[in-house]
C-alpha cells in the first residue's frame, strides 16, 4: 500500500512534464509562424498608427532587406504617399526598392516607373526624363514615351518633341496636329532671330505635316506683312477661311492694316463685309466697321454697324456703336456719351476672354496651347461674349486688361 502511494508521487510530475513539453511545442510552432512577419513589420505598422511616417518607412525599408513578400507593401505605401502629396517620402520608398539587389527584373522596372512618376509629380523634369528614358525598351514604353513628350513640350525642346511624336505614331494615335504646332514654334523662334529662310522652311513643313495648320498661315502672313509684302500677306491670311474660318478673327486686324497700307480701301470694305455676313464675329465686325469708315465714310460705317447690331445684339457691338456716334457728336453731348462709353467698354473687357473647351480655363490673350491643361487648339479665338454658355472656371490675370 505504501509502495503504491510512492508510485503515484512519481506519476504526477511526469504528467506535468509532458503537458509542459506539449505546451512548448505549440508555442515554438506559433513563433515559427510569426517569424514570417518580422518584428519590423509590426514596428512599422505601429509607427504608422502613431502618425510617425518617417520611422514607419525606415521600419518597412528594413523588411525589404529581409523578405521578398513585403515588396508589394512598399509599392502600396509609395503610391499612397504620392497620392497624398508626400512626394519626398514616395521617392525615398521607391528609391529604396530600385536599390534592392534581390528584386526581380519586373519588380525593378515597376519601381523605376513609380520613381519616374514621383519625380514628375515633384516637378523634377530632368530626373523624370532620365528615368523614363531607361524604360523605353520595357513594357512601360508607351507611357514612358507619352511622359517624355510632355516633358519635351514643357522644356520647349521642339526637336526632341517632334522626334517623339514620330516615334509615338508607330505605337499610338495620330500626332500630326501637335507636330505641326511644334514646327510652328521653331518657325517663330527663327522669325524672332530674323532667320526668315529657316522660318519659311519650317512653315512649309508645318503645312506639309498638316494642311489644316492655321497657325502656319497666321505666322506666314505676319512675316510677309512685316517685310512690306502686304498683298502676299492678305492672300495667305485669306487661305485661313478654307482651313477653319473661326481663326479669321486672329488675322482680321492685321489683314485690315495690310489692305489699308497698300491703299486697297475698296477691297478692304468688300472683303470684310463679305466675311462678316458669312462668319459673324466681333473681330470681323471691328474690321468691317473700320474698312467701311476708311472707304465710304462715317455715315455708311455707322449705318452698317447699327444694322448689324439690330440683328446680332451684343455689348461689344453697342460699344462700337457708341464709338461711331462720338465721331459726329457735339461737344455739349460728348461728355456724357464718353462716360457711358467708358462704362460699357469696361464691361466688354470683362467679356473679352478666350476659354479652353477642354478644361474651362479663361485668358485675356489667345493661346494656341492651353496653359492649364496643355492641350493644343482647345482655345478658339472667339470671346466668351460670342459663346452662349459662358461659365468661368478660371481666369488668367496675366493677360492685358
Ligand atoms: Zn485647357
Amino acid at each position: 500500500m505504501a509502495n503504491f502511494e510512492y508510485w503515484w508521487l512519481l506519476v504526477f510530475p511526469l504528467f506535468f512534464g509532458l503537458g509542459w513539453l506539449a505546451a512548448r511545442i505549440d508555442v515554438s510552432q506559433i513563433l515559427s509562424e510569426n517569424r514570417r512577419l518580422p518584428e519590423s513589420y509590426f514596428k512599422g505598422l505601429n509607427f504608422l498608427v502613431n502618425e510617425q511616417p518617417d520611422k514607419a518607412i525606415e521600419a518597412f525599408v528594413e523588411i525589404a532587406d529581409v523578405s521578398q513578400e513585403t515588396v508589394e507593401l512598399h509599392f502600396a505605401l509609395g503610391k499612397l504617399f504620392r497620392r497624398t502629396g508626400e512626394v519626398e517620402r514616395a521617392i525615398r520608398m521607391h528609391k529604396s526598392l530600385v536599390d534592392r539587389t534581390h528584386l526581380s527584373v519586373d519588380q525593378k522596372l515597376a519601381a523605376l516607373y513609380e520613381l519616374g512618376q514621383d519625380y514628375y509629380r515633384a516637378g523634377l523634369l530632368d530626373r523624370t526624363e532620365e528615368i523614363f528614358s531607361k524604360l523605353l525598351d520595357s513594357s512601360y514604353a508607351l507611357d514612358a514615351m507619352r511622359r517624355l513628350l510632355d516633358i519635351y513640350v514643357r522644356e520647349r525642346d521642339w526637336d526632341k518633341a517632334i522626334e517623339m511624336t514620330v516615334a509615338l505614331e508607330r505605337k499610338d494615335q495620330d500626332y500630326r496636329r501637335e507636330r505641326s504646332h511644334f514646327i510652328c514654334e521653331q518657325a517663330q523662334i527663327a522669325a524672332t532671330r530674323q532667320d526668315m529662310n529657316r522660318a519659311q522652311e519650317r512653315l512649309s513643313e508645318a503645312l506639309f505635316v498638316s494642311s489644316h495648320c492655321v497657325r502656319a498661315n497666321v505666322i506666314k502672313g505676319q512675316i510677309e506683312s512685316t517685310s512690306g509684302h502686304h498683298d502676299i500677306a492678305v492672300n495667305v491670311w485669306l487661305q485661313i477661311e478654307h482651313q477653319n474660318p473661326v481663326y479669321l478673327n486672329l488675322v482680321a486686324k492685321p489683314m485690315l492694316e495690310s489692305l489699308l497700307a497698300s491703299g486697297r480701301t475698296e477691297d478692304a470694305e468688300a472683303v470684310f463685309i463679305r466675311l462678316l455676313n458669312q462668319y459673324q464675329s466681333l473681330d470681323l465686325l471691328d474690321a468691317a466697321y473700320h474698312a467701311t469708315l476708311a472707304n465710304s465714310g462715317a455715315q455708311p460705317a455707322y449705318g452698317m454697324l447699327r444694322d448689324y447690331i439690330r440683328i446680332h445684339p451684343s455689348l461689344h457691338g453697342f460699344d462700337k456703336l457708341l464709338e461711331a456716334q462720338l465721331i459726329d457728336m457735339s461737344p455739349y453731348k460728348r461728355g456724357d456719351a464718353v462716360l457711358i462709353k467708358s462704362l460699357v467698354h469696361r464691361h466688354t473687357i470683362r467679356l473679352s476672354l478666350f476659354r479652353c473647351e477642354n478644361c474651362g480655363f479663361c485668358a485675356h490673350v489667345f493661346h494656341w496651347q492651353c496653359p492649364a491643361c496643355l492641350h493644343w487648339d482647345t482655345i478658339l479665338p472667339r470671346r466668351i461674349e460670342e459663346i452662349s454658355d459662358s461659365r468661368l472656371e478660371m481666369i488668367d490675370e496675366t493677360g492685358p486688361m
Side-chain angles (χ1 to χ4, degrees), residues 158-355:
W158 306 117
D159 281 338
K160 282 188 181 173
I162 290 166
E163 219 173 275
M164 190 51 79
T165 56
V166 174
L168 263 167
E169 269 175 4
R170 292 189 208 115
K171 292 179 177 244
D172 202 15
Q173 63 193 55
D174 186 354
Y175 280 90
R176 276 178 299 176
R177 175 203 291 262
E178 287 81 358
R179 188 153 65 251
S180 64
H181 272 294
F182 304 159
I183 298 169
C184 283
E185 292 282 350
Q186 291 180 322
Q188 230 152 16
I189 292 166
T192 311
R193 290 177 184 155
Q194 300 298 316
D195 185 352
M196 295 310 168
N197 288 338
R198 160 91 174 156
Q200 292 284 14
E201 178 273 315
R202 290 284 79 196
L203 294 171
S204 302
E205 174 70 12
L207 284 166
F208 175 74
V209 168
S210 169
S211 59
H212 299 291
C213 183
V214 178
R215 188 178 181 183
N217 279 335
V218 172
I219 303 170
K220 247 177 192 258
Q222 283 166 348
I223 290 173
E224 296 296 349
S225 74
T226 309
S227 313
H229 306 140
H230 294 295
D231 288 348
I232 300 174
V234 170
N235 286 341
V236 169
W237 281 327
L238 280 174
Q239 287 172 28
I240 293 170
E241 186 185 357
H242 309 293
Q243 290 179 304
N244 191 344
V246 74
Y247 286 90
L248 285 169
N249 294 342
L250 282 185
V251 296
K253 194 167 181 256
M255 188 154 73
L256 172 73
E257 286 165 0
S258 273
L259 282 163
L260 297 183
S262 51
R264 295 167 62 189
T265 51
E266 209 177 320
D267 285 348
E269 184 176 353
V271 163
F272 283 110
I273 292 293
R274 178 184 73 75
L275 292 177
L276 179 65
N277 287 333
Q278 227 165 327
Y279 319 104
Q280 293 78 37
S281 88
L282 299 176
D283 291 287
L284 290 174
L285 177 66
D286 265 350
Y289 167 72
H290 287 289
T292 311
L293 189 68
N295 188 51
S296 305
Q299 270 312 106
Y302 178 78
M304 183 281 293
L305 208 54
R306 188 194 51 212
D307 294 346
Y308 182 85
I309 286 156
R310 277 181 185 157
I311 303 165
H312 308 284
S314 71
L315 203 61
H316 184 93
F318 183 59
D319 186 30
K320 276 273 125 208
L321 201 64
L322 287 172
E323 186 186 316
Q325 277 182 336
L326 279 172
I327 294 172
D328 288 335
M329 205 167 269
S330 67
Y332 174 70
K333 289 182 178 175
R334 208 179 158 83
D336 291 344
V338 167
L339 182 67
I340 295 168
K341 193 193 170 322
S342 71
L343 285 172
V344 172
H345 190 67
R346 274 168 59 183
H347 280 284
T348 60
I349 286 174
R350 284 165 61 87
L351 293 168
S352 292
L353 293 167
F354 301 103
R355 192 179 64 205

Side-chain angles (χ1 to χ4, degrees), residues 356 359 370 373:
C356 172
C359 71
C370 174
C373 69

Side-chain angles (χ1 to χ4, degrees), residues 356-361 370-375 378-379:
C356 172
E357 291 188 340
N358 183 55
C359 71
F361 177 85
C370 174
C373 69
L374 302 181
H375 280 67
T378 50
I379 298 179

